[in-house]
Amino acid sequence: MPDIFSTTGTPYADGKILKHTAGGVGVITFNNPDKRNAMSLEMWEGFGEALTALRDDDTVRVVILRGAGGKAFVSGADISQFERVRHNAAASEEYAKRSAAQRALLADYPKPTIACIQGFCLGGGMQVAMLADIRLASHGSQFGIPAAKLGIAYGYDGLRHLVSLVGPAWARLLMYTGMRIDSAEALRIGLVERLFPEGELWGETMTIAETIAQNAPLAIKAAKITIAQVLKDESRRDMEAIKAIGNACMDSEDFREGRQAFMEKRKPQFRGR
Ligand code: COA
């Protein structure tokens, strides 16, 4: 195991969610391996708490999401809870509200996020992965949204992201059949950005995260904000926000540092201001 996991980390949801930090990288681990990291409501809420803590930690510049146990990223919502908390429309609305509030934190996250996927990534796990900025996966991972096999409607936000990643036709094929696809197919249709052998996934993910952590935070924020606006309908686009972050970059100490470091042929030290 890499060093970061030799420390205990901060537990949430009775340890079913773990938070680590090291060298500017924050890591959230879905840690319910006996159930292939299926998400209970308590885990959704713990996930939200961990996201908030890493968002507010100024030393953290990028956040990785991963599953424990090597078999799954997240196998979806915990179906064993459904009889109690999601058995009809009214109960489902309350359930959706509580879990959606945590996903909204990820959707509006101010720092870059990476989903590191090894094994099954299903249902609500796909929702989490699709909300991350970047998806890296190991060969042998499997992806799917089996909502039609359970009788669940998969919601607007999840499908919006699915359609924007893979297009409407693949979204329909996946949703109508509830089929699982392998990592090669996921890569081909744009559901994941890069694939690695299992033994290399974590190291490669950390390398990318560390690269992001060492780059200029305001420039990354500008890219994140601008890309999010590109994805909105033109009528809802906040061009002022793009201009404001652009100006913040050009007036920043980091831009001065970036220029000087280039001229002096040294590595820049960025501070996010
Ligand atoms: N909710 C609750 N429990 C789950 C779960 C989920 N989403 N996914 C897996 N589990 C549990 C299984 O019930 C099983 O529990 P048990 O050991 O008490 O029998 C355990 O995790 C291991 O699962 P198992 O099916 O034996 O492992 P597998 O490696 O053969 O298959 C999956 C893994 C994820 C493919 C399979 O468990 C599955 O299809 N899960 C449901 C996925 C789903 O429909 N998600 C969408 C929910 S909206």
Short mmCIF file of all heavy atoms in Angstrom, two decimals, residues 32-40 71-72 74-82 86 95 120-125 127 142 144-147 149-150 152 154 180, ligand 1:
data_model
loop_
_atom_site.label_atom_id
_atom_site.label_comp_id
_atom_site.label_asym_id
_atom_site.label_seq_id
_atom_site.Cartn_x
_atom_site.Cartn_y
_atom_site.Cartn_z
N ASN A 32 -16.46 0.26 2.37
CA ASN A 32 -17.47 -0.72 2.79
C ASN A 32 -17.29 -1.96 1.90
O ASN A 32 -18.22 -2.38 1.20
CB ASN A 32 -18.86 -0.09 2.60
CG ASN A 32 -19.97 -0.90 3.22
OD1 ASN A 32 -19.72 -1.81 4.01
ND2 ASN A 32 -21.21 -0.58 2.85
N PRO A 33 -16.05 -2.51 1.91
CA PRO A 33 -15.70 -3.52 0.89
C PRO A 33 -16.56 -4.77 0.94
O PRO A 33 -16.78 -5.40 -0.10
CB PRO A 33 -14.23 -3.84 1.16
CG PRO A 33 -13.93 -3.29 2.50
CD PRO A 33 -14.90 -2.20 2.79
N ASP A 34 -17.11 -5.13 2.12
CA ASP A 34 -17.95 -6.33 2.20
C ASP A 34 -19.18 -6.20 1.31
O ASP A 34 -19.76 -7.20 0.87
CB ASP A 34 -18.42 -6.59 3.63
CG ASP A 34 -17.27 -7.08 4.49
OD1 ASP A 34 -16.21 -7.40 3.92
OD2 ASP A 34 -17.41 -7.10 5.72
N LYS A 35 -19.61 -4.97 1.09
CA LYS A 35 -20.77 -4.73 0.21
C LYS A 35 -20.34 -4.06 -1.08
O LYS A 35 -21.12 -3.33 -1.70
CB LYS A 35 -21.80 -3.85 0.93
CG LYS A 35 -22.57 -4.57 2.03
CD LYS A 35 -23.73 -3.71 2.49
CE LYS A 35 -24.61 -4.46 3.48
NZ LYS A 35 -25.79 -3.70 3.85
N ARG A 36 -19.11 -4.29 -1.47
CA ARG A 36 -18.56 -3.68 -2.70
C ARG A 36 -18.73 -2.16 -2.68
O ARG A 36 -19.03 -1.52 -3.68
CB ARG A 36 -19.22 -4.27 -3.96
CG ARG A 36 -19.16 -5.79 -4.06
CD ARG A 36 -17.74 -6.30 -4.25
NE ARG A 36 -17.72 -7.75 -4.38
CZ ARG A 36 -17.46 -8.61 -3.39
NH1 ARG A 36 -17.20 -8.15 -2.16
NH2 ARG A 36 -17.45 -9.90 -3.62
N ASN A 37 -18.56 -1.61 -1.46
CA ASN A 37 -18.65 -0.16 -1.25
C ASN A 37 -20.01 0.43 -1.64
O ASN A 37 -20.08 1.57 -2.12
CB ASN A 37 -17.50 0.59 -1.96
CG ASN A 37 -16.15 0.06 -1.54
OD1 ASN A 37 -15.96 -0.30 -0.38
ND2 ASN A 37 -15.21 -0.02 -2.46
N ALA A 38 -21.06 -0.36 -1.43
CA ALA A 38 -22.42 0.17 -1.63
C ALA A 38 -22.62 1.32 -0.63
O ALA A 38 -22.15 1.27 0.49
CB ALA A 38 -23.46 -0.92 -1.39
N MET A 39 -23.34 2.35 -1.08
CA MET A 39 -23.47 3.58 -0.29
C MET A 39 -24.77 3.62 0.49
O MET A 39 -25.86 3.72 -0.09
CB MET A 39 -23.45 4.79 -1.22
CG MET A 39 -22.12 5.00 -1.93
SD MET A 39 -20.86 5.70 -0.83
CE MET A 39 -21.33 7.41 -0.80
N SER A 40 -24.68 3.61 1.81
CA SER A 40 -25.84 3.86 2.67
C SER A 40 -26.04 5.37 2.76
O SER A 40 -25.13 6.15 2.42
CB SER A 40 -25.59 3.28 4.05
OG SER A 40 -24.48 3.94 4.63
N LYS A 71 -12.06 -4.44 -5.24
CA LYS A 71 -13.08 -5.06 -6.11
C LYS A 71 -14.08 -4.07 -6.66
O LYS A 71 -14.78 -4.37 -7.62
CB LYS A 71 -13.84 -6.15 -5.34
CG LYS A 71 -12.98 -7.37 -5.06
CD LYS A 71 -13.80 -8.48 -4.49
CE LYS A 71 -12.93 -9.72 -4.29
NZ LYS A 71 -13.56 -10.69 -3.41
N ALA A 72 -14.20 -2.92 -6.00
CA ALA A 72 -15.21 -1.97 -6.46
C ALA A 72 -14.79 -0.54 -6.13
O ALA A 72 -14.11 -0.29 -5.13
CB ALA A 72 -16.56 -2.24 -5.79
N VAL A 74 -17.58 2.00 -6.31
CA VAL A 74 -18.83 2.01 -5.53
C VAL A 74 -19.84 1.19 -6.34
O VAL A 74 -20.00 1.42 -7.54
CB VAL A 74 -19.36 3.45 -5.33
CG1 VAL A 74 -20.77 3.44 -4.76
CG2 VAL A 74 -18.44 4.26 -4.42
N SER A 75 -20.51 0.24 -5.68
CA SER A 75 -21.47 -0.63 -6.40
C SER A 75 -22.88 -0.05 -6.39
O SER A 75 -23.84 -0.77 -6.59
CB SER A 75 -21.48 -2.03 -5.78
OG SER A 75 -22.03 -1.95 -4.47
N GLY A 76 -22.99 1.25 -6.11
CA GLY A 76 -24.30 1.90 -6.13
C GLY A 76 -24.83 2.15 -4.74
O GLY A 76 -24.11 1.98 -3.75
N ALA A 77 -26.07 2.57 -4.70
CA ALA A 77 -26.71 2.77 -3.40
C ALA A 77 -26.88 1.41 -2.72
O ALA A 77 -26.96 0.37 -3.39
CB ALA A 77 -28.07 3.42 -3.62
N ASP A 78 -26.92 1.43 -1.38
CA ASP A 78 -27.08 0.19 -0.60
C ASP A 78 -28.54 -0.27 -0.73
O ASP A 78 -29.44 0.29 -0.10
CB ASP A 78 -26.71 0.46 0.86
CG ASP A 78 -26.77 -0.82 1.69
OD1 ASP A 78 -27.47 -1.78 1.29
OD2 ASP A 78 -26.11 -0.85 2.75
N ILE A 79 -28.74 -1.30 -1.54
CA ILE A 79 -30.11 -1.75 -1.85
C ILE A 79 -30.80 -2.30 -0.60
O ILE A 79 -32.02 -2.24 -0.47
CB ILE A 79 -30.08 -2.81 -2.98
CG1 ILE A 79 -29.44 -2.21 -4.24
CG2 ILE A 79 -31.48 -3.32 -3.33
CD1 ILE A 79 -29.07 -3.23 -5.31
N SER A 80 -30.01 -2.78 0.36
CA SER A 80 -30.63 -3.35 1.57
C SER A 80 -31.35 -2.27 2.39
O SER A 80 -32.19 -2.58 3.23
CB SER A 80 -29.58 -4.08 2.42
OG SER A 80 -28.68 -3.16 2.98
N GLN A 81 -31.04 -1.01 2.15
CA GLN A 81 -31.74 0.08 2.85
C GLN A 81 -33.05 0.47 2.18
O GLN A 81 -33.86 1.19 2.78
CB GLN A 81 -30.86 1.34 2.88
CG GLN A 81 -29.79 1.37 3.94
CD GLN A 81 -29.30 2.80 4.17
OE1 GLN A 81 -29.25 3.63 3.26
NE2 GLN A 81 -28.93 3.10 5.41
N PHE A 82 -33.25 0.01 0.94
CA PHE A 82 -34.36 0.54 0.15
C PHE A 82 -35.72 0.26 0.77
O PHE A 82 -36.62 1.10 0.74
CB PHE A 82 -34.33 -0.02 -1.28
CG PHE A 82 -33.28 0.62 -2.17
CD1 PHE A 82 -32.34 1.51 -1.66
CD2 PHE A 82 -33.23 0.32 -3.52
CE1 PHE A 82 -31.37 2.08 -2.47
CE2 PHE A 82 -32.27 0.89 -4.35
CZ PHE A 82 -31.33 1.76 -3.82
N ARG A 86 -36.51 3.86 0.94
CA ARG A 86 -36.72 4.26 -0.46
C ARG A 86 -37.78 3.38 -1.11
O ARG A 86 -37.63 3.00 -2.28
CB ARG A 86 -35.37 4.11 -1.21
CG ARG A 86 -35.20 5.02 -2.39
CD ARG A 86 -33.89 4.74 -3.09
NE ARG A 86 -33.64 5.63 -4.21
CZ ARG A 86 -32.62 5.53 -5.05
NH1 ARG A 86 -31.73 4.57 -4.88
NH2 ARG A 86 -32.46 6.36 -6.04
N TYR A 95 -35.10 10.50 0.52
CA TYR A 95 -33.81 9.82 0.34
C TYR A 95 -32.97 10.60 -0.69
O TYR A 95 -31.79 10.89 -0.48
CB TYR A 95 -34.07 8.39 -0.15
CG TYR A 95 -32.82 7.59 -0.44
CD1 TYR A 95 -32.31 6.71 0.51
CD2 TYR A 95 -32.16 7.70 -1.66
CE1 TYR A 95 -31.17 5.97 0.24
CE2 TYR A 95 -31.02 6.97 -1.93
CZ TYR A 95 -30.53 6.10 -0.98
OH TYR A 95 -29.39 5.38 -1.25
N PHE A 120 -15.92 -2.67 -9.81
CA PHE A 120 -17.27 -2.28 -10.20
C PHE A 120 -17.54 -0.80 -9.93
O PHE A 120 -17.22 -0.30 -8.85
CB PHE A 120 -18.31 -3.11 -9.43
CG PHE A 120 -18.26 -4.57 -9.78
CD1 PHE A 120 -17.79 -5.50 -8.85
CD2 PHE A 120 -18.67 -5.02 -11.03
CE1 PHE A 120 -17.74 -6.85 -9.17
CE2 PHE A 120 -18.62 -6.38 -11.35
CZ PHE A 120 -18.15 -7.29 -10.43
N CYS A 121 -18.14 -0.18 -10.91
CA CYS A 121 -18.57 1.22 -10.76
C CYS A 121 -19.99 1.25 -11.29
O CYS A 121 -20.21 1.26 -12.51
CB CYS A 121 -17.64 2.12 -11.57
SG CYS A 121 -18.11 3.87 -11.49
N LEU A 122 -20.96 1.21 -10.38
CA LEU A 122 -22.35 0.95 -10.79
C LEU A 122 -23.30 1.98 -10.17
O LEU A 122 -23.07 2.46 -9.05
CB LEU A 122 -22.78 -0.45 -10.33
CG LEU A 122 -21.93 -1.63 -10.85
CD1 LEU A 122 -22.38 -2.93 -10.16
CD2 LEU A 122 -22.01 -1.76 -12.35
N GLY A 123 -24.39 2.25 -10.88
CA GLY A 123 -25.48 3.06 -10.34
C GLY A 123 -25.01 4.37 -9.74
O GLY A 123 -24.45 5.22 -10.42
N GLY A 124 -25.24 4.53 -8.44
CA GLY A 124 -24.82 5.75 -7.75
C GLY A 124 -23.30 5.93 -7.78
O GLY A 124 -22.81 7.05 -7.66
N GLY A 125 -22.57 4.84 -7.95
CA GLY A 125 -21.11 4.93 -8.09
C GLY A 125 -20.74 5.63 -9.39
O GLY A 125 -19.80 6.42 -9.46
N GLN A 127 -22.65 7.80 -10.73
CA GLN A 127 -23.00 9.21 -10.52
C GLN A 127 -21.81 9.96 -9.90
O GLN A 127 -21.46 11.05 -10.32
CB GLN A 127 -24.20 9.30 -9.60
CG GLN A 127 -25.35 10.07 -10.21
CD GLN A 127 -26.61 9.94 -9.40
OE1 GLN A 127 -26.87 8.89 -8.78
NE2 GLN A 127 -27.39 10.99 -9.37
N GLN A 142 -15.57 -2.57 -14.32
CA GLN A 142 -16.84 -2.71 -15.04
C GLN A 142 -17.77 -1.57 -14.66
O GLN A 142 -17.81 -1.16 -13.50
CB GLN A 142 -17.50 -4.04 -14.66
CG GLN A 142 -16.71 -5.22 -15.17
CD GLN A 142 -17.61 -6.42 -15.36
OE1 GLN A 142 -18.78 -6.28 -15.69
NE2 GLN A 142 -17.05 -7.59 -15.14
N GLY A 144 -21.75 0.34 -15.17
CA GLY A 144 -23.13 0.16 -15.58
C GLY A 144 -24.08 0.91 -14.67
O GLY A 144 -23.72 1.33 -13.56
N ILE A 145 -25.30 1.08 -15.17
CA ILE A 145 -26.35 1.74 -14.38
C ILE A 145 -27.58 0.82 -14.44
O ILE A 145 -28.38 0.91 -15.36
CB ILE A 145 -26.67 3.13 -14.95
CG1 ILE A 145 -25.39 4.00 -14.94
CG2 ILE A 145 -27.78 3.80 -14.12
CD1 ILE A 145 -25.55 5.38 -15.54
N PRO A 146 -27.70 -0.11 -13.46
CA PRO A 146 -28.76 -1.13 -13.55
C PRO A 146 -30.12 -0.66 -13.05
O PRO A 146 -30.91 -1.47 -12.54
CB PRO A 146 -28.20 -2.28 -12.69
CG PRO A 146 -27.28 -1.63 -11.73
CD PRO A 146 -26.76 -0.37 -12.35
N ALA A 147 -30.43 0.63 -13.23
CA ALA A 147 -31.69 1.18 -12.71
C ALA A 147 -32.89 0.41 -13.27
O ALA A 147 -33.86 0.14 -12.55
CB ALA A 147 -31.79 2.67 -13.06
N LYS A 149 -33.09 -2.61 -14.03
CA LYS A 149 -33.18 -3.94 -13.44
C LYS A 149 -33.79 -3.89 -12.04
O LYS A 149 -34.16 -4.89 -11.45
CB LYS A 149 -31.80 -4.60 -13.36
CG LYS A 149 -31.23 -4.92 -14.75
CD LYS A 149 -29.94 -5.70 -14.63
CE LYS A 149 -29.32 -5.98 -15.99
NZ LYS A 149 -30.15 -6.82 -16.86
N LEU A 150 -33.84 -2.65 -11.48
CA LEU A 150 -34.39 -2.48 -10.14
C LEU A 150 -35.72 -1.75 -10.14
O LEU A 150 -36.44 -1.76 -9.14
CB LEU A 150 -33.39 -1.68 -9.28
CG LEU A 150 -32.14 -2.43 -8.82
CD1 LEU A 150 -31.04 -1.45 -8.44
CD2 LEU A 150 -32.46 -3.32 -7.64
N ILE A 152 -35.87 1.64 -10.86
CA ILE A 152 -35.56 2.98 -10.35
C ILE A 152 -35.41 3.95 -11.52
O ILE A 152 -34.86 3.60 -12.55
CB ILE A 152 -34.22 2.95 -9.57
CG1 ILE A 152 -34.36 2.12 -8.30
CG2 ILE A 152 -33.73 4.35 -9.25
CD1 ILE A 152 -33.06 1.96 -7.55
N TYR A 154 -33.38 7.02 -12.89
CA TYR A 154 -32.03 7.48 -12.56
C TYR A 154 -31.92 8.99 -12.47
O TYR A 154 -31.06 9.48 -12.58
CB TYR A 154 -31.03 6.92 -13.60
CG TYR A 154 -29.57 6.96 -13.17
CD1 TYR A 154 -29.11 6.21 -12.09
CD2 TYR A 154 -28.64 7.74 -13.85
CE1 TYR A 154 -27.78 6.23 -11.72
CE2 TYR A 154 -27.31 7.76 -13.49
CZ TYR A 154 -26.88 7.01 -12.42
OH TYR A 154 -25.57 7.02 -12.06
N ARG A 180 -23.68 -4.11 -18.22
CA ARG A 180 -22.38 -3.66 -17.73
C ARG A 180 -21.41 -3.67 -18.91
O ARG A 180 -21.46 -4.57 -19.74
CB ARG A 180 -21.87 -4.60 -16.64
CG ARG A 180 -22.69 -4.54 -15.38
CD ARG A 180 -21.85 -4.86 -14.17
NE ARG A 180 -21.30 -6.19 -14.17
CZ ARG A 180 -21.77 -7.19 -13.40
NH1 ARG A 180 -22.79 -6.99 -12.59
NH2 ARG A 180 -21.19 -8.36 -13.43
N1 COA B 1 -26.34 -2.76 -2.14
C1 COA B 1 -26.29 -3.61 -1.11
N2 COA B 1 -25.48 -4.67 -1.04
C2 COA B 1 -24.66 -4.88 -2.09
C3 COA B 1 -24.65 -4.03 -3.21
C4 COA B 1 -25.54 -2.93 -3.21
N3 COA B 1 -25.58 -2.04 -4.22
N4 COA B 1 -23.74 -4.49 -4.08
C5 COA B 1 -23.19 -5.58 -3.53
N5 COA B 1 -23.75 -5.84 -2.33
C6 COA B 1 -23.47 -6.93 -1.41
C7 COA B 1 -24.06 -8.22 -1.88
O1 COA B 1 -25.42 -8.31 -1.49
C8 COA B 1 -23.18 -9.23 -1.17
O2 COA B 1 -23.61 -9.32 0.17
P1 COA B 1 -23.56 -10.77 0.96
O3 COA B 1 -22.08 -11.06 1.04
O4 COA B 1 -24.17 -10.44 2.27
O5 COA B 1 -24.33 -11.73 0.10
C9 COA B 1 -21.81 -8.55 -1.17
O6 COA B 1 -22.06 -7.17 -1.41
C10 COA B 1 -20.91 -9.02 -2.26
O7 COA B 1 -21.64 -8.99 -3.45
P2 COA B 1 -21.64 -10.20 -4.50
O8 COA B 1 -22.80 -9.98 -5.40
O9 COA B 1 -21.54 -11.49 -3.78
O10 COA B 1 -20.24 -9.90 -5.22
P3 COA B 1 -19.85 -10.03 -6.75
O11 COA B 1 -18.43 -9.61 -6.80
O12 COA B 1 -20.25 -11.35 -7.29
O13 COA B 1 -20.76 -8.94 -7.50
C11 COA B 1 -21.75 -6.76 -7.86
C12 COA B 1 -20.62 -7.58 -7.22
C13 COA B 1 -21.52 -5.31 -7.42
C14 COA B 1 -21.68 -6.85 -9.38
C15 COA B 1 -23.14 -7.29 -7.41
O14 COA B 1 -23.13 -7.38 -6.01
C16 COA B 1 -24.28 -6.38 -7.81
O15 COA B 1 -24.78 -6.49 -8.92
N6 COA B 1 -24.69 -5.49 -6.89
C17 COA B 1 -25.82 -4.60 -7.11
C18 COA B 1 -25.42 -3.46 -8.00
C19 COA B 1 -26.60 -2.53 -8.25
O16 COA B 1 -27.66 -2.91 -8.67
N7 COA B 1 -26.35 -1.23 -7.99
C20 COA B 1 -27.29 -0.20 -8.25
C21 COA B 1 -27.99 0.21 -7.01
S1 COA B 1 -28.99 1.59 -7.36
#
